[in-house]
Amino acid sequence: MATVAPPLAFLLALLGLAGAAFPEEPGPLSSVPSEVVRRYPVFLGRAHRSSLRQEPLHIQSILKVNRTLYIGSRDDLFRLELDNVVGDEMFYSKKRSWESNRNDIRICRMKGKQEDECRNFMKVLLSRPGGLFVCGTNAFNPLCANYTRDTLEMVGETISGMARCPYDPKHANVALFADGNLFTATVTDFLAIDAVIYRSLGNPPALRTVKHDSKWFREPYFVSAVEWGPHIYFFFRELGMEFNYLEKAVVSRVARVCKGDVGGSQRVLEKQWTSFLKARLNCSIPGDSHFYFNQLHSTSPILRSHGRDIVLGVFSTPANSIPGSAVCAFDMQQLARVFEGRFKEQKSPESIWTPVPDELVPKPRPGGCAVQGSRFNSSNVFPDEVLNFVKTHPLMDEAVPSLGQRPWIVKTMVRYQLNKMVVDTEAGPHRNQTVLFLGSTKGTVLKFLMIPARDRSIAGGNIFLEELEGYNREKCGEDSPQARQLLSLTLDRPSHSLLLAFSSCVVRVPVARCQLFSRCMKNCIASRDPYCGWTRGSTCSFLRPGTR
Ligand SMILES: *[C@@H]1O[C@H](CO)[C@@H](O)[C@H](O)[C@H]1NC(C)=O
Ligand SMILES: *[C@@H]1O[C@H](CO)[C@@H](O)[C@H](O)[C@H]1NC(C)=O
Ligand SMILES: *[C@@H]1O[C@H](CO)[C@@H](O)[C@H](O)[C@H]1NC(C)=O
Ligand SMILES: *[C@@H]1O[C@H](CO)[C@@H](O)[C@H](O)[C@H]1NC(C)=O
Ligand SMILES: *[C@@H]1O[C@H](CO)[C@@H](O)[C@H](O)[C@H]1NC(C)=O
């Protein structure tokens, strides 16, 4: 044991050495040489090969609509055609600037912000029937506007971006349209104190979460949102307050609201959600002492797998602790069931948190959606007792268990964290394999083949296929931990590639590099890569979907 570095020894001690449940962590079957990756096409904000490169990009948001990629950057919007990529650089087909006006910049500077913060960072980029919906921080005075899809022209007036877009480009935010309403999760003020889940722009009244109530949010970091059934689910992390010790502990959460909520009565929760509930997400390794991955970084969309709707999440340990990351899966049905379970409460500021006994929960059940045709056909006719209960009890007692009660993938023996993910559920020539691509804080991409289990549980195991450097040091510019932060990972199926967005560039990387295994059939098969196969010309080739 003398050779084990202290953090690892500590980790093993934590897990209890007897806890053999801790999975092994083999290295990748293939490490992709950097000279291969260096040739992949990169977008740097240029119109064509001979245009001068101006200041580096500050990419904030990415949106792929069919064969077009939209990129929201600092003061600029770009449109890029994914089918027109040739050579080692991608060029935009349209660029539109949206800068803050002088007055907004002056006020931003007067409030003590730096010159490079008092710009317009495009943090919201959504597609809606009429075109694009874009919000920018606008020198700490956020604004939103409609844009046309093809020419990127602003249509109509700008509207306030408050509660729709953060003030500070460093803050994480979430936005999605559902049923013609905009659902956002962000902070609504200059000082970033008032966190909110907000609905606006539709027919029903605008609604928000209760202001400055630590039971609802405590320093949240919003990660994603999905629509499922009558609800919108929001995934985030925040400081947990339900623990019986004073230490500040970050935990991961899922919250939900009813899409049809119209707010409470004039006495309780007026213009606020009557359906906001939240629960902890449990991504942990079972063993003698439980090991938790408490910090959620990203989630997948809802995936259909073996007849269930599941969501995958990438979690890590806190930055200042033992480095470790994990991917956990959650069954949406199981997740929704936690919201039908018991509520948690703290009777007095000194007492511990306990479940609320069923007989003390008022009826109709707090946090539910109003039902058409019933006595409570609208959330504003719920009894005050019910509204008061949900206002003071937004937290569920139970945590959402992960599928199979353990992570699908664990990485602890490395000096980086996994923080982004994209899943290809239609990998391989028969479109029946699942490949997970994970992005790390070092700018690398890890590729895993998921092996289905024979029994009913979904997670059989996984094979670590490949690891590659995604960040292109030569082309993207500056090399720093900040520059290597992957902002997003997008799968572009028609071109069989991934789009890796960093602050200063977008890199397009093919999903597989079969030619690297072309020396012999054995290599090709040993790669285990579902995208590759030994073909008639005696080479290892990419197998297009449908090939035999
Ligand atoms: C994207 O493609 C689908 C299917 O081909 C089409 O119905 C849709 O209108 C396209 N969306 C846009 C914004 O062009
Ligand atoms: C933006 O477009 C939507 C849908 O096309 C429309 O309802 C809305 O009024 C527009 N907003 C502005 C500010 O022009
Ligand atoms: C709810 O029911 C009442 C009468 O039972 C009806 O007047 C009202 O229009 C209904 N409201 C909604 C939103 O369906
Ligand atoms: C998380 O899941 C594990 C394994 O099922 C369980 O033992 C543990 O109690 C759970 N933790 C919480 C906080 O629910
Ligand atoms: C995918 O489909 C092919 C052809 O039907 C089959 O041979 C193969 O076993 C399937 N693979 C998996 C992982 O289900």
Side-chain angles (χ1 to χ4, degrees), residues 280 282 284 286 290 292 399 405:
R280 183 176 173 189
N282 183 351
S284 57
H290 234 73
Y292 285 95
Q405 243 119 78

Side-chain angles (χ1 to χ4, degrees), residues 65-66 127 149:
V65 183
N66 292 351
S127 180
R149 267 201 208 95

Side-chain angles (χ1 to χ4, degrees), residues 128-133 144-146 155-159 201:
R128 65 192 299 191
L132 300 176
F133 181 75
C144 303
N146 288 330
V155 192
E157 298 292 302
T158 57
I159 57 170
L201 303 185

Side-chain angles (χ1 to χ4, degrees), residues 289-431:
S289 59
H290 234 73
F291 190 78
Y292 285 95
F293 298 90
N294 273 331
Q295 302 215 357
L296 181 66
H297 294 274
S298 67
T299 66
S300 71
I302 292 174
L303 308 167
R304 193 81 193 148
S305 169
H306 295 64
R308 330 180 191 216
D309 286 337
I310 63 166
V311 162
L312 304 183
V314 180
F315 295 80
S316 78
T317 53
N320 58 1
S321 93
I322 315 152
S325 305
V327 175
C328 278
F330 301 94
D331 181 333
M332 286 304 292
Q333 211 104 43
Q334 215 170 24
L335 189 153
R337 212 172 302 133
V338 170
F339 290 104
E340 305 302 325
R342 292 196 289 184
F343 298 90
K344 219 181 185 76
E345 74 175 349
Q346 188 183 32
K347 290 213 183 66
S348 73
E350 291 79 39
S351 54
I352 62 165
W353 287 75
T354 49
V356 180
D358 285 342
E359 60 276 18
L360 298 183
V361 176
K363 290 200 177 71
R365 190 183 157 83
C369 299
V371 179
Q372 284 301 316
S374 76
R375 200 176 133 210
F376 302 107
N377 60 1
S378 167
S379 65
N380 55 17
V381 298
F382 284 140
D384 284 0
E385 190 197 2
V386 167
L387 296 173
N388 269 318
F389 184 93
V390 77
K391 185 176 177 184
T392 49
H393 296 80
L395 181 63
M396 305 314 298
D397 181 49
E398 239 187 282
V400 181
S402 68
L403 252 180
Q405 243 119 78
R406 60 177 59 244
W408 279 15
I409 292 172
V410 171
K411 274 256 153 270
T412 53
M413 313 304 178
V414 288
R415 296 214 163 270
Y416 55 76
Q417 283 181 343
L418 300 175
N419 60 357
K420 293 289 175 239
M421 140 174 68
V422 72
V423 191
D424 186 359
T425 51
E426 296 175 18
H430 307 290
R431 296 191 182 95

